[in-house]
Amino acid sequence: MSSIPIRRRPPRPVAASLTAAAATVLALGTPTATGTASAASLPCDIYASGGTPCVAAHSTTRALYASYNGSLYQVRRSSDNTTRDIGVLSAGGVADAAAQDSFCAGTSCVITIIYDQSGRGNNLTQAPGGGAAGGPDNLANATAAPTTVGGHKAYGVYVAAGTGYRNDRTNGIATGDQAEGEYAIFDGTHYNGGCCFDYGNAETSNNDTGNGHMEAIYFGNIKVWGYGTGNGPWIMADLENGLFSGVNQHYNANDPTINYRYTTAVVKGEPNHWAIRGGNAQSGSLSTFYNGARPNVAGYNPMHKEGAIILGIGGDNSKGSAGTFYEGVMTSGYPTDATEDAVQASITAAGYGSGGGGGGGSFPSGYHQLIAGNDGLCLDVYGNTSSAGAAIDQWSCNGQSNQQFQFVPGSNGFGELQAQNSGQVIAVANGSTAQGSPDIVQQARNGAASSMWKPVAQSDGSWSLQNQNSGLCLDVYGAGSNQGQQLDQWPCKNAAGSNQDFTPN
């Protein structure tokens, strides 16, 4: 039996031609043990072969050229404000996540620069304020979006509301009515209805300068402007003063809800013609959701693109959005569908989420105690009650049914953690996305995203548990070691042996 939950809030520890392009894909193999692709031709190699070369290439997870051997991004740690560039394991390979883990051990880190691999210097850094919201914007927690690529650990860019990156002084990015292509890989399960989770072409002044002054990929489920089928999220285009799912700012029945765990999103445009495409970044081909004329509203034909690059925000620094970015590029010229199909084949060959710590896995079946890594106590339904709303705390492991939980799989790697004593599931109260509040409870199963968790395997046999609704991880509040200490949700640290890691027993 547990005592009354302790509600103290201790300080949180610092813790090609087209033929050639297609041929390159046939040569692709899965990543090797050193993180390179065999006979590799990576996305920007394929775009170049198709006559539409990359003029910006950003990724925190891997190289986007087979020959790239430079830095992917930079992190800064809070303990002493020093920075470190994170590169690849080898040319054309995946990120050296171990270098980040070592540098950030015992403290927290943010992503300060996302380097441009194209050689044009179109790096992304902290976004300044703009017409919609002040700044500078927040920087992404460097460990909040763990993933794997070909079995190797890596980190994406986790964008919470208020987070944003930008470059207003670019080189080679399309302006005016010039043609361009863009793709990005997003976490299809992390989104909201805020404005605007974008990647692509925007204003250089950080202000809304009128219709047609942007051309960026948008991902989310806002319905203020255009939208597609279902409840979203949808891939749309932010063309400024409107998110477009088709020819106008209205419903497009051909733009589906698309929420693959790893989602490929494509927007491309040329004079009086543009398209939206998308697919599963882990398997299969791209589908076309719109392919036609520019909107028949003043300002969009011709376009007035300005050539800045944004990530996670709108062109005027609107920053109420959420999402996760893994990689993306911008091209010079309008890529053909065949070139993009070859790029998609290269992406699926990379193996996002395929094995290794940080990519999910097979959580043990049946009921288990879940032992917290920081103190050896067990997750516990307070009072051994079956009442909805009862707190989830930690208590000395005793094997009782209120300490026994089973993982009930859902979709995209998420599932529910069901308590044996009550049949209810662990959830974040009221669907909150706030970090730090001790508001983890049990509630009746209803499939809500706030009660869906993704088990992420750690190298020591423990698991972290990431909430689908918030993207945050289940966490012993303040790393407290007291019996009765409640659970909260906090940005994922992905460090085995911590207060976010739980071992089934």
Side-chain angles (χ1 to χ4, degrees):
M1 179 71 70
S2 303
S3 65
I4 296 173
I6 296 172
R7 297 186 181 272
R8 294 192 298 270
R9 298 193 178 188
R12 182 164 298 277
V14 175
S17 68
L18 299 184
T19 301
T24 61
V25 175
L26 296 176
L28 283 168
T30 55
T32 67
T34 58
T36 59
S38 58
S41 187
L42 298 183
C44 285
D45 304 312
I46 297 169
Y47 278 118
S49 295
T52 52
C54 293
V55 288
H58 304 108
S59 178
T60 58
T61 63
R62 67 178 186 134
L64 300 176
Y65 295 83
S67 62
Y68 189 77
N69 199 25
S71 296
L72 299 177
Y73 61 105
Q74 181 189 86
V75 295
R76 183 181 69 221
R77 62 188 179 197
S78 61
S79 57
D80 58 7
N81 285 324
T82 60
T83 61
R84 175 161 181 174
D85 289 345
I86 306 300
V88 292
L89 292 174
S90 58
V94 302
D96 185 1
Q100 175 181 311
D101 289 342
S102 175
F103 181 75
C104 299
T107 186
S108 61
C109 279
V110 293
I111 297 172
T112 47
I113 304 173
I114 306 169
Y115 290 109
D116 172 24
Q117 300 179 31
S118 77
R120 291 179 173 267
N122 292 322
N123 304 331
L124 295 174
T125 56
Q126 186 173 26
D137 295 354
N138 298 328
L139 294 169
N141 182 316
T143 60
T147 187
T148 55
V149 182
H152 294 268
K153 182 179 179 181
Y155 294 100
V157 183
Y158 186 92
V159 174
T163 303
Y165 294 83
R166 194 173 196 125
N167 186 328
D168 288 328
R169 299 292 179 265
T170 60
N171 175 13
I173 305 301
T175 59
D177 208 26
Q178 292 177 336
E180 69 178 347
E182 303 164 344
Y183 90 80
I185 298 177
F186 302 131
D187 180 344
T189 68
H190 181 209
Y191 60 89
N192 70 2
C195 183
C196 290
F197 183 69
D198 291 350
Y199 171 74
N201 197 320
E203 294 97 336
T204 57
S205 65
N206 311 326
N207 296 302
D208 178 349
T209 53
N211 295 359
H213 283 246
M214 291 181 60
E215 187 168 60
I217 303 168
Y218 165 81
F219 187 75
N221 67 342
I222 193 170
K223 295 181 72 173
V224 174
W225 298 282
Y227 57 96
T229 58
N231 295 319
W234 306 286
I235 301 168
M236 297 192 285
D238 190 340
L239 305 181
E240 190 54 279
N241 294 322
L243 300 176
F244 290 83
S245 62
V247 67
N248 290 319
Q249 291 180 6
H250 301 295
Y251 170 72
N252 176 11
N254 295 315
D255 195 15
T257 289
I258 182 167
N259 58 358
Y260 297 110
R261 172 61 179 84
Y262 299 92
T263 297
T264 306
V266 176
V267 167
K268 56 182 175 178
E270 62 183 348
N272 201 25
H273 181 219
W274 71 286
I276 304 172
R277 309 186 76 202
N280 185 345
Q282 292 181 298
S283 64
S285 59
L286 295 174
S287 297
T288 300
F289 305 144
Y290 177 77
N291 182 3
R294 292 288 189 183
N296 58 3
V297 180
Y300 299 104
N301 180 34
M303 292 285 284
H304 308 278
K305 292 174 278 192
E306 297 188 24
I309 307 172
I310 53 173
L311 172 60
I313 53 176
D316 60 356
N317 200 44
S318 301
K319 52 182 179 179
S321 56
T324 298
F325 170 90
Y326 299 105
E327 64 180 66
V329 312
M330 301 174 68
T331 71
S332 174
Y334 189 91
T336 65
D337 286 0
T339 296
E340 289 167 346
D341 293 344
V343 170
Q344 168 70 357
S346 172
I347 290 168
T348 61
Y352 268 96
S354 57
S362 298
F363 194 83
S365 61
Y367 285 99
H368 299 271
Q369 296 181 118
L370 296 174
I371 304 170
N374 68 306
D375 55 26
L377 301 178
C378 278
L379 263 62
D380 174 283
V381 178
Y382 168 67
N384 199 359
T385 179
S386 59
S387 299
I392 304 299
D393 64 354
Q394 62 178 3
W395 197 258
S396 296
C397 300
N398 57 32
Q400 293 181 173
S401 61
N402 65 314
Q403 292 187 354
Q404 301 285 337
F405 300 89
Q406 71 168 341
F407 181 69
V408 182
S411 59
N412 297 318
F414 290 91
E416 296 168 304
L417 289 164
Q418 184 177 36
Q420 188 176 42
N421 72 311
S422 65
Q424 299 190 59
V425 295
I426 295 176
V428 182
N430 301 314
S432 173
T433 58
Q435 62 187 44
S437 297
D439 55 1
I440 308 301
V441 300
Q442 69 173 0
Q443 68 181 32
R445 293 181 62 187
N446 60 12
S450 58
S451 64
M452 304 298 288
W453 305 87
K454 171 170 284 188
V456 180
Q458 306 298 319
S459 60
D460 66 348
S462 68
W463 300 76
S464 63
L465 298 159
Q466 186 176 36
N467 188 261
Q468 185 177 32
N469 187 51
S470 66
L472 304 175
C473 275
L474 191 67
D475 175 283
V476 178
Y477 185 82
S481 58
N482 298 314
Q483 293 193 120
Q485 181 70 57
Q486 286 182 265
L487 279 289
D488 69 344
Q489 57 179 353
W490 194 258
C492 302
K493 291 183 284 190
N494 198 38
S498 78
N499 57 313
Q500 290 186 358
D501 293 285
F502 303 92
T503 302
N505 182 30

